[in-house]
Amino acid sequence: MAAGETQIYAKVSNKLKGRSTTSLLDPLLGMGFPAHTALKALAATGRKTAAEASDWLHCHCNDPSLDDPIPQEYALFLCPTGPLLDRLEEFWRESRRQCSKNRAHEVFPHITLCDFFTCEDQKLECLYEALKRAGDRTLGAFPSAVPLVLHSSVSYLGFFVDDSTADIIQEFAVMFATEASILADCTVKPCTKQLHLTLAHKFYPHHQRTLEQLARAVHPGHGCQWTAALYSRDMRFVHYQTLRVLFQYKPQNMDELTLSPGDYIFVDPTQQEEASEGWVIGISQQTGCRGFLPENYTERASECDTWVKHRTYTFSVAPDPSSGKDGEASSRRNGEPQRLPASQSSSLQSLQATILRKSVLVVRHGERVDQIFGKSWLQQCSTPDGKYYRPDLNFPRSLPRRSQGIKDFENDPPLSSCGIFQSRMAGEALLDSGIRITSVFTSPALRCVQTAKHILEELKLEKKIKIRVEPGIFEWTQWEAGKTTPTLMTLEELKEANFNVSMDYRPAFPLPSLLPAERYEDYLHRCAVSMEQMVSIRPQDVGVILVVGHGSALDSCTRPLLGLPPRDCTVFTQLVRKIPSLGMCFLEENKEGKWELVNPPVKTLTHGSNSAFNWRNWILGN
């Protein structure tokens, strides 16, 4: 380390001696790490222990930006803890389940005290001192309880802080900004607008009433310790999407990224043009390396999942009126069982309400043979005299009989063997989830009818529930090959092939009504009309309506029920391409008779590719 660099970090070290018996920097320098990278690692890990910083440095040994002088961005939040936080987290869970994700779910419950600002790594300890000084000076004046008033509009729901209390909290924020400027040479902009704790933001207008009802169950008077918390984030990835890694992945090529479960990947949406379908380009938070990765090995994460918590300052303790003298609730006192806590009670009521609601589960069919073997799949599995044989284990064992012979399968392909397996796995998972399927509708495409059949078999319902074939939810015919609609199996042919189809169901759109190369608006119209009929056939029957269709059905068959406008045609096309086999959407009808998106009862099946293998070429070839 250069002499000048040594002097700079010696000054920082001297400032820490009064509060720390051992310097966090010295062990890292002793391991041979340069001072600037050691301080960078301490900042990136919240300056907790030298061991964590050392692990971070070893993981980032191949990080091309390791030596770049890029500081972290910091922000100060006032965060609730205790019973109030429990109620808010329950609201977070229920609002996401009943009304889908909105912007508030990206961050934990908090009141923002200042905008994000930068602080040099070597001055971070001074920033901690600024927080302590501002807290100590405000502690005596900080209110024992923070009055919160619920406010609602068409795009925002949250608690506003009462003006008299807000003044004290803003004084603390201004004091922190002043101390940070003096001690750490930071430019901090304290929040001067009306202080608020956001519950929901940028949600669909038709969800406002449901969100308000959930918010009224959160009583601001619950006991709470208010804590000022200092967080940091990597300023380079502020506008990136964040993905959480679900499965291990070992690179197959030099330009691919190693994935470890629990790691986070930063993805720039503007840099994805060179990635193949199903792949993205991302940067690992764990290693700092960049590369291609399979998108289905990840899931969307929240914005704050990658933030680092540094230091906190706790102000006040307010007792919870519902708790005992010791401030702790008990489920049993004097040997007598007590009333369930509010969070458990509301969860139980939610579960009971779900059982009694009508629901719709829209599922994409399983993997189809032409998806794997291409457009010429039929030539690969047929003899010159038009008979079927199995050239690969992923071809089905047999094909059902059709009046025009095997050629009718060309534009109406069956499931592959893996597609059958996927369908059975989904049915098995649905059985384990305990949901009650009361009716089944499918597109007339063979792959959809097959998927429904195998799901019902695993649910032990193949003899009890008849499959209703609804041509109205068939794929957009603009995407179908040729100038005529595909020749699809008739109900009689399906019946003969041992599919338990209903012969009495009158579809909203009979097969002959499907027109080739139809307009996008016409396709959306028939999907909307078909869905309306399917959910209205037996209005008194509660339970789950299973709809098995195409990838496009997850959008075109759900948005009409939700009351959402149609997507732009280009956006719709791009979206549908990313929906996997057996992808699902789940809708529930609420007490007001409106439909809402909720989490599907089972997870999607994820798997890797398996290329064709020719043993002769492998053994005997050069």
Side-chain angles (χ1 to χ4, degrees):
M1 184 166 60
E5 195 177 17
T6 305
Q7 292 175 358
I8 293 174
Y9 293 111
K11 292 179 181 178
V12 176
S13 181
N14 288 335
K15 288 185 178 181
L16 305 180
K17 287 181 179 178
R19 295 188 298 276
S20 178
T21 55
T22 59
S23 170
L24 296 176
L25 184 60
D26 290 343
L28 298 175
L29 298 179
M31 296 177 194
F33 294 113
H36 66 285
T37 57
L39 283 165
K40 187 172 188 175
L42 287 170
T45 56
R47 203 175 179 93
K48 295 179 178 67
T49 66
E52 285 187 48
S54 173
D55 291 343
W56 187 92
L57 286 165
H58 282 109
C59 288
H60 284 257
C61 60
N62 295 318
D63 184 349
S65 67
L66 185 61
D67 290 320
D68 293 348
I70 304 173
Q72 293 276 306
E73 270 192 332
Y74 297 84
L76 189 64
F77 302 111
L78 188 64
C79 304
T81 63
L84 178 57
L85 178 60
D86 294 340
R87 304 301 188 274
L88 289 168
E89 289 179 338
E90 176 69 15
F91 173 86
W92 248 245
R93 287 189 294 271
E94 278 300 300
S95 62
R96 185 164 184 171
R97 186 186 72 83
Q98 296 189 33
C99 303
S100 73
K101 187 175 181 179
N102 62 67
R103 283 291 297 166
H105 293 118
E106 292 290 336
V107 187
F108 43 80
H110 70 280
I111 297 172
T112 301
L113 298 183
C114 70
D115 296 342
F116 273 96
F117 62 94
T118 58
C119 177
E120 297 176 33
D121 296 338
Q122 68 268 26
K123 297 178 181 178
L124 182 53
E125 196 70 32
C126 301
L127 192 62
Y128 298 164
E129 176 64 19
L131 173 61
K132 184 179 184 302
R133 289 189 183 184
D136 288 345
R137 292 177 182 176
T138 315
L139 183 61
F142 200 91
S144 58
V146 177
L148 301 173
V149 180
L150 186 64
H151 172 79
S152 177
S153 69
V154 292
S155 63
Y156 177 84
L157 181 73
F159 289 120
F160 282 3
V161 180
D162 180 77
D163 289 343
S164 58
T165 305
D167 290 342
I168 299 172
I169 297 174
Q170 286 174 335
E171 284 178 16
F172 163 71
V174 171
M175 204 170 296
F176 167 75
T178 303
E179 293 291 345
S181 175
I182 296 170
L183 298 177
D185 195 24
C186 295
T187 303
V188 181
K189 182 182 178 182
C191 183
T192 56
K193 297 180 181 179
Q194 186 167 21
L195 298 181
H196 55 274
L197 191 157
T198 299
L199 297 176
H201 181 44
K202 291 188 177 180
F203 48 83
Y204 291 118
H206 64 276
H207 286 154
Q208 182 180 358
R209 185 173 178 181
T210 302
L211 291 169
E212 286 178 356
Q213 291 175 339
L214 292 172
R216 291 191 187 99
V218 181
H219 300 294
H222 286 305
C224 175
Q225 281 186 309
W226 288 96
T227 299
L230 189 66
Y231 282 84
S232 75
R233 67 183 183 187
D234 194 320
M235 63 187 298
R236 296 173 297 168
F237 308 122
V238 172
H239 300 296
Y240 283 45
Q241 291 179 352
T242 306
L243 304 177
R244 181 187 293 105
V245 177
L246 299 175
F247 310 106
Q248 190 86 24
Y249 179 76
K250 293 184 178 180
Q252 309 297 313
N253 298 292
M254 291 291 292
D255 58 357
E256 293 176 8
L257 199 59
T258 299
L259 300 183
S260 301
D263 188 13
Y264 291 95
I265 307 296
F266 299 110
V267 175
D268 184 353
T270 65
Q271 296 180 354
Q272 303 307 310
E273 291 183 359
E274 56 185 290
S276 305
E277 184 177 343
W279 291 73
V280 294
I281 305 171
I283 298 175
S284 164
Q285 186 196 34
Q286 192 174 76
T287 65
C289 296
R290 182 179 185 271
F292 292 90
L293 63 138
E295 190 174 12
N296 62 354
Y297 278 54
T298 65
E299 67 177 1
R300 284 294 298 271
S302 296
E303 177 184 333
C304 69
D305 287 346
T306 57
W307 294 359
V308 178
K309 190 174 185 178
H310 287 257
R311 296 292 185 269
T312 61
Y313 190 99
T314 301
F315 286 101
S316 61
V317 180
D320 185 358
S322 63
S323 65
K325 292 180 180 179
D326 57 358
E328 294 181 359
S330 173
S331 61
R332 180 180 291 270
R333 294 184 186 141
N334 301 323
E336 293 298 325
Q338 300 295 310
R339 183 171 57 87
L340 284 171
S343 59
Q344 295 182 27
S345 176
S346 63
S347 297
L348 182 59
Q349 290 170 0
S350 243
L351 180 60
Q352 292 170 342
T354 300
I355 295 172
L356 299 175
R357 292 175 188 160
K358 182 185 288 186
S359 307
V360 176
L361 179 63
V362 184
V363 181
R364 188 194 179 192
H365 59 75
E367 179 186 272
R368 46 195 266 189
V369 289
D370 62 329
Q371 186 179 337
I372 303 303
F373 300 103
K375 293 181 179 179
S376 63
W377 72 273
L378 196 58
Q379 286 71 43
Q380 301 173 44
C381 65
S382 55
T383 61
D385 58 350
K387 292 183 178 179
Y388 173 78
Y389 74 98
R390 194 183 194 188
D392 185 283
L393 288 179
N394 203 17
F395 276 81
R397 286 179 179 272
S398 61
L399 294 178
R401 193 185 71 81
R402 300 181 77 151
S403 58
Q404 300 298 319
I406 194 171
K407 65 179 182 180
D408 279 352
F409 288 105
E410 184 171 8
N411 294 320
D412 184 26
L415 294 179
S416 65
S417 295
C418 285
I420 294 171
F421 172 73
Q422 291 170 331
S423 304
R424 290 190 173 278
M425 285 284 287
E428 181 183 358
L430 288 171
L431 179 66
D432 292 340
S433 74
I435 71 168
R436 176 172 168 252
I437 302 290
T438 56
S439 55
V440 178
F441 298 86
T442 77
S443 159
L446 175 60
R447 55 194 180 272
C448 298
V449 182
Q450 286 180 308
T451 300
K453 171 185 169 68
H454 293 303
I455 288 176
L456 286 174
E457 285 176 347
E458 293 302 315
L459 287 168
K460 317 301 180 188
L461 296 173
E462 71 275 15
K463 300 290 179 62
K464 298 179 181 178
I465 297 180
K466 290 185 180 293
I467 298 172
R468 295 165 176 169
V469 178
E470 176 51 72
I473 60 171
F474 182 66
E475 188 66 278
W476 184 16
T477 59
Q478 182 73 41
W479 290 341
E480 296 297 323
K483 296 182 179 180
T484 60
T485 52
T487 302
L488 303 168
M489 293 182 70
T490 64
L491 293 179
E492 290 73 18
E493 288 175 328
L494 291 170
K495 191 83 171 177
E496 185 182 344
N498 203 30
F499 291 100
N500 187 19
V501 294
S502 171
M503 307 298 288
D504 301 324
Y505 172 65
R506 291 188 177 183
F509 289 82
L511 269 177
S513 68
L514 296 180
L515 301 176
E518 66 188 328
R519 296 185 310 159
Y520 177 55
E521 295 77 10
D522 294 335
Y523 162 69
L524 294 179
H525 172 71
R526 64 173 166 85
C527 287
V529 172
S530 299
M531 285 302 295
E532 185 64 31
Q533 173 169 305
M534 287 187 282
V535 300
S536 305
I537 283 182
R538 297 181 64 184
Q540 77 283 2
D541 193 12
V542 295
V544 178
I545 301 168
L546 175 62
V547 178
V548 182
H550 309 267
S552 54
L554 271 69
D555 188 81
S556 60
C557 292
T558 58
R559 291 180 76 84
L561 291 182
L562 295 169
L564 300 177
R567 293 186 191 275
D568 175 78
C569 181
T570 303
V571 175
F572 171 78
T573 302
Q574 293 173 347
L575 177 74
V576 168
R577 289 175 180 171
K578 297 183 178 181
I579 297 175
S581 299
L582 272 298
M584 300 181 183
C585 276
F586 196 42
L587 297 88
E588 281 184 354
E589 193 175 33
N590 63 23
K591 295 177 181 178
E592 288 77 32
K594 294 183 178 180
W595 292 94
E596 302 172 336
L597 270 177
V598 295
N599 288 329
V602 300
K603 298 289 186 181
T604 300
L605 174 67
T606 305
H607 54 80
S609 61
N610 197 50
S611 57
F613 175 66
N614 188 312
W615 64 269
R616 186 182 299 277
N617 292 344
W618 190 79
I619 297 293
L620 302 178
N622 293 328

